Amino acid sequence: MTEKNEYKVSQVFIYPVKSLGGISLPEAELTDRGFKYDRRWMLIDREGQFLSQRRVPDMALLQAELDDEYLSIVHKHKPELNLQIPLALISNSNSGLIDSYMWDESIGVAECGEDFNEWFSDVLKTKCRLVCMPDNSNRPVDVRFAGNNEITSLSDGYPFLIIGQESLNLLNSKLDEPLPVNRFRPNIVFAGGLPHDEDEFDKFEIGGVLFKRVKPCARCTVITINQNTGERKQEPLKTLATYRKVNNKILFGQNLLHEGDGEIRVGDKIIPV
């Protein structure tokens, strides 16, 4: 990361329910496990395994919205299909925890209620349960990359994913149909610099908060799913494989850890330290 380049936050996103539609925000509050409300809920199957668009592409069609009291879920094409989930569910430190499973990891979660289970099961035509990560469930990040006993939410493994707009612009220049950034589900998008400058970031500050790059993000088939239709195609994995494949993994974006609290705003500078 060179000081001669100026980088500014251009977009901020949270994804309250893992693998459902995300929310673009002008600013987001930091907590010890990532942005506030980011991936604090998820859907699990009968065995407790997490569900994502990898298995259920129509999850892309359910959009999350937030107000002061509720997390609302609305079908993108059928607004009559909607649901309100109390935000207070994740604040209830008395919630009894059950085991859920992501990859090879067991994560303590709390069940949200049978009414929510039935709604999601009906809409997605897949038997599932809605669970949340309450405040009394702490999930450490991979010890190989943790520097200070950091924790995360129900993300794939780390609190933040950052992508440079120029990286997306380069990819889109190689595609017949350009893609929006929502295919890649970042938390922070920045403008400025050159394509894939994020690969060279080490430690940097945004809004006075220290961030550390820990590892590149290996991409899966989720980025091939149209977030407005739920349709799956070959791109952009096919094209990314021609220039972003390392050790049989296709890399796009960087995972981050952070220290401290505060807020990240669109327009904030990214300052190397």
PDB file of all heavy atoms in Angstrom, residues 178-209:
ATOM      1  N   PRO A 178     -21.113  -6.718 -17.511  1.00  0.00           N
ATOM      2  CA  PRO A 178     -20.530  -6.287 -16.238  1.00  0.00           C
ATOM      3  C   PRO A 178     -21.396  -6.677 -15.051  1.00  0.00           C
ATOM      4  O   PRO A 178     -22.624  -6.766 -15.161  1.00  0.00           O
ATOM      5  CB  PRO A 178     -20.434  -4.769 -16.389  1.00  0.00           C
ATOM      6  CG  PRO A 178     -21.438  -4.418 -17.436  1.00  0.00           C
ATOM      7  CD  PRO A 178     -21.482  -5.585 -18.373  1.00  0.00           C
ATOM      8  N   LEU A 179     -20.753  -6.907 -13.913  1.00  0.00           N
ATOM      9  CA  LEU A 179     -21.443  -7.366 -12.710  1.00  0.00           C
ATOM     10  C   LEU A 179     -21.422  -6.292 -11.635  1.00  0.00           C
ATOM     11  O   LEU A 179     -20.446  -5.558 -11.498  1.00  0.00           O
ATOM     12  CB  LEU A 179     -20.767  -8.628 -12.169  1.00  0.00           C
ATOM     13  CG  LEU A 179     -20.718  -9.833 -13.099  1.00  0.00           C
ATOM     14  CD1 LEU A 179     -19.946 -10.959 -12.443  1.00  0.00           C
ATOM     15  CD2 LEU A 179     -22.126 -10.292 -13.459  1.00  0.00           C
ATOM     16  N   PRO A 180     -22.484  -6.222 -10.827  1.00  0.00           N
ATOM     17  CA  PRO A 180     -22.473  -5.313  -9.681  1.00  0.00           C
ATOM     18  C   PRO A 180     -21.655  -5.910  -8.548  1.00  0.00           C
ATOM     19  O   PRO A 180     -21.408  -7.119  -8.485  1.00  0.00           O
ATOM     20  CB  PRO A 180     -23.958  -5.213  -9.299  1.00  0.00           C
ATOM     21  CG  PRO A 180     -24.534  -6.530  -9.727  1.00  0.00           C
ATOM     22  CD  PRO A 180     -23.785  -6.929 -10.969  1.00  0.00           C
ATOM     23  N   VAL A 181     -21.264  -5.064  -7.619  1.00  0.00           N
ATOM     24  CA  VAL A 181     -20.408  -5.509  -6.522  1.00  0.00           C
ATOM     25  C   VAL A 181     -21.137  -6.461  -5.580  1.00  0.00           C
ATOM     26  O   VAL A 181     -20.499  -7.212  -4.822  1.00  0.00           O
ATOM     27  CB  VAL A 181     -19.837  -4.287  -5.764  1.00  0.00           C
ATOM     28  CG1 VAL A 181     -20.909  -3.649  -4.873  1.00  0.00           C
ATOM     29  CG2 VAL A 181     -18.586  -4.664  -4.964  1.00  0.00           C
ATOM     30  N   ASN A 182     -22.480  -6.492  -5.636  1.00  0.00           N
ATOM     31  CA  ASN A 182     -23.205  -7.369  -4.710  1.00  0.00           C
ATOM     32  C   ASN A 182     -22.923  -8.851  -4.946  1.00  0.00           C
ATOM     33  O   ASN A 182     -23.186  -9.681  -4.083  1.00  0.00           O
ATOM     34  CB  ASN A 182     -24.709  -7.089  -4.715  1.00  0.00           C
ATOM     35  CG  ASN A 182     -25.410  -7.445  -6.016  1.00  0.00           C
ATOM     36  OD1 ASN A 182     -24.839  -8.025  -6.946  1.00  0.00           O
ATOM     37  ND2 ASN A 182     -26.681  -7.081  -6.102  1.00  0.00           N
ATOM     38  N   ARG A 183     -22.375  -9.198  -6.111  1.00  0.00           N
ATOM     39  CA  ARG A 183     -21.984 -10.589  -6.349  1.00  0.00           C
ATOM     40  C   ARG A 183     -20.920 -11.064  -5.353  1.00  0.00           C
ATOM     41  O   ARG A 183     -20.810 -12.254  -5.075  1.00  0.00           O
ATOM     42  CB  ARG A 183     -21.420 -10.756  -7.758  1.00  0.00           C
ATOM     43  CG  ARG A 183     -22.431 -10.737  -8.862  1.00  0.00           C
ATOM     44  CD  ARG A 183     -23.294 -12.003  -8.859  1.00  0.00           C
ATOM     45  NE  ARG A 183     -24.172 -12.011 -10.006  1.00  0.00           N
ATOM     46  CZ  ARG A 183     -23.923 -12.676 -11.128  1.00  0.00           C
ATOM     47  NH1 ARG A 183     -22.824 -13.396 -11.259  1.00  0.00           N
ATOM     48  NH2 ARG A 183     -24.795 -12.616 -12.127  1.00  0.00           N
ATOM     49  N   PHE A 184     -20.142 -10.119  -4.843  1.00  0.00           N
ATOM     50  CA  PHE A 184     -18.960 -10.487  -4.062  1.00  0.00           C
ATOM     51  C   PHE A 184     -19.131 -10.259  -2.568  1.00  0.00           C
ATOM     52  O   PHE A 184     -18.234 -10.557  -1.794  1.00  0.00           O
ATOM     53  CB  PHE A 184     -17.747  -9.724  -4.591  1.00  0.00           C
ATOM     54  CG  PHE A 184     -17.512  -9.987  -6.048  1.00  0.00           C
ATOM     55  CD1 PHE A 184     -18.059  -9.144  -7.021  1.00  0.00           C
ATOM     56  CD2 PHE A 184     -16.807 -11.101  -6.468  1.00  0.00           C
ATOM     57  CE1 PHE A 184     -17.875  -9.402  -8.371  1.00  0.00           C
ATOM     58  CE2 PHE A 184     -16.623 -11.360  -7.813  1.00  0.00           C
ATOM     59  CZ  PHE A 184     -17.157 -10.514  -8.768  1.00  0.00           C
ATOM     60  N   ARG A 185     -20.242  -9.687  -2.154  1.00  0.00           N
ATOM     61  CA  ARG A 185     -20.646  -9.567  -0.758  1.00  0.00           C
ATOM     62  C   ARG A 185     -19.553  -8.952   0.136  1.00  0.00           C
ATOM     63  O   ARG A 185     -19.233  -9.485   1.207  1.00  0.00           O
ATOM     64  CB  ARG A 185     -21.106 -10.920  -0.226  1.00  0.00           C
ATOM     65  CG  ARG A 185     -22.243 -11.503  -1.069  1.00  0.00           C
ATOM     66  CD  ARG A 185     -22.721 -12.844  -0.569  1.00  0.00           C
ATOM     67  NE  ARG A 185     -23.441 -12.727   0.681  1.00  0.00           N
ATOM     68  CZ  ARG A 185     -24.717 -12.332   0.808  1.00  0.00           C
ATOM     69  NH1 ARG A 185     -25.418 -12.021  -0.262  1.00  0.00           N
ATOM     70  NH2 ARG A 185     -25.286 -12.267   1.984  1.00  0.00           N
ATOM     71  N   PRO A 186     -18.983  -7.813  -0.276  1.00  0.00           N
ATOM     72  CA  PRO A 186     -17.986  -7.154   0.571  1.00  0.00           C
ATOM     73  C   PRO A 186     -18.653  -6.382   1.705  1.00  0.00           C
ATOM     74  O   PRO A 186     -19.841  -6.053   1.650  1.00  0.00           O
ATOM     75  CB  PRO A 186     -17.297  -6.197  -0.395  1.00  0.00           C
ATOM     76  CG  PRO A 186     -18.411  -5.791  -1.325  1.00  0.00           C
ATOM     77  CD  PRO A 186     -19.234  -7.051  -1.512  1.00  0.00           C
ATOM     78  N   ASN A 187     -17.867  -6.077   2.726  1.00  0.00           N
ATOM     79  CA  ASN A 187     -18.301  -5.131   3.755  1.00  0.00           C
ATOM     80  C   ASN A 187     -17.839  -3.718   3.435  1.00  0.00           C
ATOM     81  O   ASN A 187     -18.537  -2.749   3.730  1.00  0.00           O
ATOM     82  CB  ASN A 187     -17.749  -5.522   5.133  1.00  0.00           C
ATOM     83  CG  ASN A 187     -18.302  -6.828   5.633  1.00  0.00           C
ATOM     84  OD1 ASN A 187     -17.603  -7.831   5.639  1.00  0.00           O
ATOM     85  ND2 ASN A 187     -19.552  -6.829   6.041  1.00  0.00           N
ATOM     86  N   ILE A 188     -16.638  -3.616   2.856  1.00  0.00           N
ATOM     87  CA  ILE A 188     -16.059  -2.312   2.544  1.00  0.00           C
ATOM     88  C   ILE A 188     -15.585  -2.328   1.093  1.00  0.00           C
ATOM     89  O   ILE A 188     -14.858  -3.244   0.681  1.00  0.00           O
ATOM     90  CB  ILE A 188     -14.864  -1.994   3.464  1.00  0.00           C
ATOM     91  CG1 ILE A 188     -15.303  -2.009   4.940  1.00  0.00           C
ATOM     92  CG2 ILE A 188     -14.254  -0.633   3.112  1.00  0.00           C
ATOM     93  CD1 ILE A 188     -14.132  -1.970   5.915  1.00  0.00           C
ATOM     94  N   VAL A 189     -16.010  -1.325   0.333  1.00  0.00           N
ATOM     95  CA  VAL A 189     -15.517  -1.108  -1.023  1.00  0.00           C
ATOM     96  C   VAL A 189     -14.811   0.241  -1.022  1.00  0.00           C
ATOM     97  O   VAL A 189     -15.280   1.186  -0.383  1.00  0.00           O
ATOM     98  CB  VAL A 189     -16.661  -1.111  -2.056  1.00  0.00           C
ATOM     99  CG1 VAL A 189     -16.120  -0.944  -3.474  1.00  0.00           C
ATOM    100  CG2 VAL A 189     -17.489  -2.396  -1.950  1.00  0.00           C
ATOM    101  N   PHE A 190     -13.674   0.317  -1.709  1.00  0.00           N
ATOM    102  CA  PHE A 190     -12.968   1.589  -1.745  1.00  0.00           C
ATOM    103  C   PHE A 190     -12.666   1.996  -3.183  1.00  0.00           C
ATOM    104  O   PHE A 190     -12.533   1.163  -4.084  1.00  0.00           O
ATOM    105  CB  PHE A 190     -11.672   1.530  -0.929  1.00  0.00           C
ATOM    106  CG  PHE A 190     -10.612   0.625  -1.494  1.00  0.00           C
ATOM    107  CD1 PHE A 190      -9.665   1.097  -2.392  1.00  0.00           C
ATOM    108  CD2 PHE A 190     -10.552  -0.709  -1.111  1.00  0.00           C
ATOM    109  CE1 PHE A 190      -8.691   0.276  -2.906  1.00  0.00           C
ATOM    110  CE2 PHE A 190      -9.572  -1.550  -1.623  1.00  0.00           C
ATOM    111  CZ  PHE A 190      -8.639  -1.065  -2.528  1.00  0.00           C
ATOM    112  N   ALA A 191     -12.567   3.293  -3.380  1.00  0.00           N
ATOM    113  CA  ALA A 191     -12.207   3.873  -4.675  1.00  0.00           C
ATOM    114  C   ALA A 191     -10.769   4.352  -4.613  1.00  0.00           C
ATOM    115  O   ALA A 191     -10.255   4.716  -3.550  1.00  0.00           O
ATOM    116  CB  ALA A 191     -13.142   5.033  -5.005  1.00  0.00           C
ATOM    117  N   GLY A 192     -10.124   4.375  -5.786  1.00  0.00           N
ATOM    118  CA  GLY A 192      -8.762   4.872  -5.877  1.00  0.00           C
ATOM    119  C   GLY A 192      -7.756   3.766  -6.088  1.00  0.00           C
ATOM    120  O   GLY A 192      -8.027   2.586  -5.868  1.00  0.00           O
ATOM    121  N   GLY A 193      -6.565   4.173  -6.538  1.00  0.00           N
ATOM    122  CA  GLY A 193      -5.489   3.220  -6.728  1.00  0.00           C
ATOM    123  C   GLY A 193      -5.645   2.372  -7.969  1.00  0.00           C
ATOM    124  O   GLY A 193      -6.347   2.736  -8.922  1.00  0.00           O
ATOM    125  N   LEU A 194      -5.012   1.204  -7.944  1.00  0.00           N
ATOM    126  CA  LEU A 194      -4.974   0.288  -9.070  1.00  0.00           C
ATOM    127  C   LEU A 194      -5.723  -0.997  -8.732  1.00  0.00           C
ATOM    128  O   LEU A 194      -5.965  -1.291  -7.560  1.00  0.00           O
ATOM    129  CB  LEU A 194      -3.519  -0.046  -9.433  1.00  0.00           C
ATOM    130  CG  LEU A 194      -2.643   1.132  -9.831  1.00  0.00           C
ATOM    131  CD1 LEU A 194      -1.203   0.678  -9.994  1.00  0.00           C
ATOM    132  CD2 LEU A 194      -3.161   1.790 -11.100  1.00  0.00           C
ATOM    133  N   PRO A 195      -6.098  -1.788  -9.751  1.00  0.00           N
ATOM    134  CA  PRO A 195      -6.765  -3.060  -9.474  1.00  0.00           C
ATOM    135  C   PRO A 195      -5.941  -3.934  -8.517  1.00  0.00           C
ATOM    136  O   PRO A 195      -4.724  -4.060  -8.665  1.00  0.00           O
ATOM    137  CB  PRO A 195      -6.871  -3.710 -10.859  1.00  0.00           C
ATOM    138  CG  PRO A 195      -6.897  -2.563 -11.814  1.00  0.00           C
ATOM    139  CD  PRO A 195      -5.990  -1.537 -11.205  1.00  0.00           C
ATOM    140  N   HIS A 196      -6.633  -4.466  -7.528  1.00  0.00           N
ATOM    141  CA  HIS A 196      -6.069  -5.406  -6.557  1.00  0.00           C
ATOM    142  C   HIS A 196      -5.003  -4.787  -5.664  1.00  0.00           C
ATOM    143  O   HIS A 196      -4.173  -5.500  -5.096  1.00  0.00           O
ATOM    144  CB  HIS A 196      -5.556  -6.673  -7.259  1.00  0.00           C
ATOM    145  CG  HIS A 196      -6.625  -7.347  -8.050  1.00  0.00           C
ATOM    146  ND1 HIS A 196      -7.706  -7.963  -7.446  1.00  0.00           N
ATOM    147  CD2 HIS A 196      -6.806  -7.453  -9.386  1.00  0.00           C
ATOM    148  CE1 HIS A 196      -8.505  -8.448  -8.397  1.00  0.00           C
ATOM    149  NE2 HIS A 196      -7.994  -8.133  -9.577  1.00  0.00           N
ATOM    150  N   ASP A 197      -5.044  -3.475  -5.495  1.00  0.00           N
ATOM    151  CA  ASP A 197      -4.183  -2.852  -4.496  1.00  0.00           C
ATOM    152  C   ASP A 197      -4.461  -3.412  -3.100  1.00  0.00           C
ATOM    153  O   ASP A 197      -3.566  -3.419  -2.244  1.00  0.00           O
ATOM    154  CB  ASP A 197      -4.381  -1.333  -4.483  1.00  0.00           C
ATOM    155  CG  ASP A 197      -3.455  -0.612  -5.453  1.00  0.00           C
ATOM    156  OD1 ASP A 197      -2.668  -1.295  -6.141  1.00  0.00           O
ATOM    157  OD2 ASP A 197      -3.524   0.632  -5.522  1.00  0.00           O
ATOM    158  N   GLU A 198      -5.679  -3.874  -2.862  1.00  0.00           N
ATOM    159  CA  GLU A 198      -6.012  -4.441  -1.548  1.00  0.00           C
ATOM    160  C   GLU A 198      -5.134  -5.638  -1.210  1.00  0.00           C
ATOM    161  O   GLU A 198      -4.941  -5.971  -0.031  1.00  0.00           O
ATOM    162  CB  GLU A 198      -7.503  -4.811  -1.447  1.00  0.00           C
ATOM    163  CG  GLU A 198      -7.974  -5.846  -2.435  1.00  0.00           C
ATOM    164  CD  GLU A 198      -8.514  -5.235  -3.717  1.00  0.00           C
ATOM    165  OE1 GLU A 198      -8.049  -4.144  -4.118  1.00  0.00           O
ATOM    166  OE2 GLU A 198      -9.411  -5.856  -4.314  1.00  0.00           O
ATOM    167  N   ASP A 199      -4.584  -6.316  -2.224  1.00  0.00           N
ATOM    168  CA  ASP A 199      -3.687  -7.439  -1.975  1.00  0.00           C
ATOM    169  C   ASP A 199      -2.414  -6.996  -1.265  1.00  0.00           C
ATOM    170  O   ASP A 199      -1.734  -7.821  -0.628  1.00  0.00           O
ATOM    171  CB  ASP A 199      -3.299  -8.123  -3.293  1.00  0.00           C
ATOM    172  CG  ASP A 199      -4.472  -8.798  -3.985  1.00  0.00           C
ATOM    173  OD1 ASP A 199      -5.570  -8.853  -3.394  1.00  0.00           O
ATOM    174  OD2 ASP A 199      -4.296  -9.258  -5.127  1.00  0.00           O
ATOM    175  N   GLU A 200      -2.077  -5.716  -1.401  1.00  0.00           N
ATOM    176  CA  GLU A 200      -0.833  -5.200  -0.828  1.00  0.00           C
ATOM    177  C   GLU A 200      -1.055  -4.468   0.487  1.00  0.00           C
ATOM    178  O   GLU A 200      -0.080  -4.061   1.132  1.00  0.00           O
ATOM    179  CB  GLU A 200      -0.147  -4.255  -1.833  1.00  0.00           C
ATOM    180  CG  GLU A 200       0.079  -4.866  -3.206  1.00  0.00           C
ATOM    181  CD  GLU A 200       0.900  -6.143  -3.139  1.00  0.00           C
ATOM    182  OE1 GLU A 200       1.854  -6.191  -2.336  1.00  0.00           O
ATOM    183  OE2 GLU A 200       0.573  -7.100  -3.883  1.00  0.00           O
ATOM    184  N   PHE A 201      -2.320  -4.285   0.872  1.00  0.00           N
ATOM    185  CA  PHE A 201      -2.582  -3.629   2.151  1.00  0.00           C
ATOM    186  C   PHE A 201      -1.990  -4.483   3.285  1.00  0.00           C
ATOM    187  O   PHE A 201      -2.055  -5.696   3.258  1.00  0.00           O
ATOM    188  CB  PHE A 201      -4.081  -3.465   2.394  1.00  0.00           C
ATOM    189  CG  PHE A 201      -4.753  -2.415   1.548  1.00  0.00           C
ATOM    190  CD1 PHE A 201      -4.080  -1.757   0.544  1.00  0.00           C
ATOM    191  CD2 PHE A 201      -6.085  -2.094   1.782  1.00  0.00           C
ATOM    192  CE1 PHE A 201      -4.713  -0.795  -0.239  1.00  0.00           C
ATOM    193  CE2 PHE A 201      -6.731  -1.130   1.008  1.00  0.00           C
ATOM    194  CZ  PHE A 201      -6.048  -0.486   0.007  1.00  0.00           C
ATOM    195  N   ASP A 202      -1.471  -3.829   4.300  1.00  0.00           N
ATOM    196  CA  ASP A 202      -1.003  -4.542   5.483  1.00  0.00           C
ATOM    197  C   ASP A 202      -1.818  -4.070   6.678  1.00  0.00           C
ATOM    198  O   ASP A 202      -2.847  -4.650   7.006  1.00  0.00           O
ATOM    199  CB  ASP A 202       0.487  -4.311   5.686  1.00  0.00           C
ATOM    200  CG  ASP A 202       1.048  -5.122   6.841  1.00  0.00           C
ATOM    201  OD1 ASP A 202       0.359  -6.064   7.297  1.00  0.00           O
ATOM    202  OD2 ASP A 202       2.166  -4.827   7.295  1.00  0.00           O
ATOM    203  N   LYS A 203      -1.386  -2.989   7.296  1.00  0.00           N
ATOM    204  CA  LYS A 203      -2.173  -2.365   8.357  1.00  0.00           C
ATOM    205  C   LYS A 203      -2.560  -0.965   7.905  1.00  0.00           C
ATOM    206  O   LYS A 203      -1.765  -0.256   7.292  1.00  0.00           O
ATOM    207  CB  LYS A 203      -1.376  -2.296   9.661  1.00  0.00           C
ATOM    208  CG  LYS A 203      -1.110  -3.657  10.293  1.00  0.00           C
ATOM    209  CD  LYS A 203      -0.375  -3.510  11.611  1.00  0.00           C
ATOM    210  CE  LYS A 203      -0.146  -4.866  12.256  1.00  0.00           C
ATOM    211  NZ  LYS A 203       0.584  -4.749  13.555  1.00  0.00           N
ATOM    212  N   PHE A 204      -3.796  -0.578   8.235  1.00  0.00           N
ATOM    213  CA  PHE A 204      -4.284   0.733   7.825  1.00  0.00           C
ATOM    214  C   PHE A 204      -5.400   1.168   8.749  1.00  0.00           C
ATOM    215  O   PHE A 204      -5.975   0.348   9.480  1.00  0.00           O
ATOM    216  CB  PHE A 204      -4.760   0.711   6.368  1.00  0.00           C
ATOM    217  CG  PHE A 204      -5.827  -0.319   6.084  1.00  0.00           C
ATOM    218  CD1 PHE A 204      -7.171   0.005   6.150  1.00  0.00           C
ATOM    219  CD2 PHE A 204      -5.479  -1.622   5.743  1.00  0.00           C
ATOM    220  CE1 PHE A 204      -8.162  -0.940   5.893  1.00  0.00           C
ATOM    221  CE2 PHE A 204      -6.456  -2.578   5.481  1.00  0.00           C
ATOM    222  CZ  PHE A 204      -7.786  -2.229   5.550  1.00  0.00           C
ATOM    223  N   GLU A 205      -5.692   2.456   8.716  1.00  0.00           N
ATOM    224  CA  GLU A 205      -6.772   3.015   9.535  1.00  0.00           C
ATOM    225  C   GLU A 205      -7.891   3.539   8.652  1.00  0.00           C
ATOM    226  O   GLU A 205      -7.646   4.087   7.576  1.00  0.00           O
ATOM    227  CB  GLU A 205      -6.262   4.149  10.424  1.00  0.00           C
ATOM    228  CG  GLU A 205      -5.395   3.686  11.564  1.00  0.00           C
ATOM    229  CD  GLU A 205      -5.025   4.833  12.499  1.00  0.00           C
ATOM    230  OE1 GLU A 205      -5.372   5.999  12.183  1.00  0.00           O
ATOM    231  OE2 GLU A 205      -4.384   4.572  13.543  1.00  0.00           O
ATOM    232  N   ILE A 206      -9.115   3.359   9.132  1.00  0.00           N
ATOM    233  CA  ILE A 206     -10.293   4.011   8.562  1.00  0.00           C
ATOM    234  C   ILE A 206     -11.059   4.614   9.732  1.00  0.00           C
ATOM    235  O   ILE A 206     -11.426   3.897  10.668  1.00  0.00           O
ATOM    236  CB  ILE A 206     -11.209   3.031   7.808  1.00  0.00           C
ATOM    237  CG1 ILE A 206     -10.438   2.230   6.758  1.00  0.00           C
ATOM    238  CG2 ILE A 206     -12.365   3.805   7.151  1.00  0.00           C
ATOM    239  CD1 ILE A 206     -11.295   1.181   6.051  1.00  0.00           C
ATOM    240  N   GLY A 207     -11.278   5.921   9.694  1.00  0.00           N
ATOM    241  CA  GLY A 207     -12.001   6.564  10.785  1.00  0.00           C
ATOM    242  C   GLY A 207     -11.362   6.372  12.143  1.00  0.00           C
ATOM    243  O   GLY A 207     -12.050   6.312  13.165  1.00  0.00           O
ATOM    244  N   GLY A 208     -10.039   6.263  12.170  1.00  0.00           N
ATOM    245  CA  GLY A 208      -9.325   6.081  13.425  1.00  0.00           C
ATOM    246  C   GLY A 208      -9.290   4.661  13.936  1.00  0.00           C
ATOM    247  O   GLY A 208      -8.720   4.394  15.002  1.00  0.00           O
ATOM    248  N   VAL A 209      -9.885   3.721  13.204  1.00  0.00           N
ATOM    249  CA  VAL A 209      -9.901   2.314  13.602  1.00  0.00           C
ATOM    250  C   VAL A 209      -8.825   1.561  12.815  1.00  0.00           C
ATOM    251  O   VAL A 209      -8.705   1.720  11.598  1.00  0.00           O
ATOM    252  CB  VAL A 209     -11.285   1.676  13.339  1.00  0.00           C
ATOM    253  CG1 VAL A 209     -11.273   0.196  13.710  1.00  0.00           C
ATOM    254  CG2 VAL A 209     -12.363   2.416  14.125  1.00  0.00           C
TER     255      VAL A 209
END
